[in-house]
Amino acid sequence: HHPDKQAAEAAEAEAEERGRRFLEIHQAWKVLGNEETKQEYDLQQREENLTKEWPLHEQIYLEDMSWNEDEQLYTLSCRCGGNYSVSKSETKDVSLVCCDTCSLVIEILQ
């Protein structure tokens, strides 16, 4: 896809498409090549996929969840018997949490 690697006789539309595709790949590499931006991207994709695939069960405030000091983890029991868990370090970045046993999702409100 690199513009410099195109055949000289390539059609203008094809050259533009390859140039556009190269820029998309370059931008993706800038995001995924940096650990901080990759983590942010992964969290955004996770939340987007959760809302598409699983039903939102409930909205809950973080302070309504149980705090486990030893594990540095907020937890909430799900109606299926499983748990919703979010670590203290994730609380600023994560707003949707999936149950560890079923497909229900909660939204954590700040």
Side-chain angles (χ1 to χ4, degrees):
H1 293 288
H2 195 282
D4 293 343
K5 302 283 182 172
Q6 294 184 50
E9 64 274 354
E12 186 176 333
E14 183 181 341
E16 283 182 25
E17 175 61 24
R18 286 183 179 201
R20 185 190 62 74
R21 182 72 179 137
F22 174 77
L23 291 175
E24 288 175 355
I25 292 169
H26 178 71
Q27 182 62 32
W29 176 247
K30 283 174 54 178
V31 170
L32 299 176
N34 176 302
E35 191 59 38
E36 285 182 30
T37 56
K38 181 184 184 307
Q39 184 178 15
E40 184 178 317
Y41 174 82
D42 289 344
L43 288 171
Q44 288 172 352
Q45 290 300 305
R46 180 175 174 232
E47 286 189 15
E48 189 175 302
N49 289 338
L50 283 176
T51 56
K52 287 180 187 174
E53 296 175 15
W54 291 298
L56 184 62
H57 171 63
E58 189 175 2
Q59 292 180 314
I60 189 148
Y61 287 98
L62 190 61
E63 57 263 16
D64 293 333
M65 297 179 77
S66 299
W67 171 247
N68 182 319
E69 186 69 37
D70 294 336
E71 295 182 25
Q72 295 287 295
L73 199 65
Y74 289 95
T75 60
L76 179 73
S77 295
C78 180
R79 66 181 185 197
C80 75
N83 286 301
Y84 300 102
S85 302
V86 62
S87 69
K88 187 174 184 175
S89 62
E90 294 176 323
T91 57
K92 292 181 180 120
D93 300 322
V94 173
S95 63
L96 297 176
V97 179
C98 189
C99 175
D100 61 4
T101 335
C102 72
S103 63
L104 295 176
V105 174
I106 60 168
E107 181 178 15
I108 298 176
L109 306 172
Q110 300 288 333

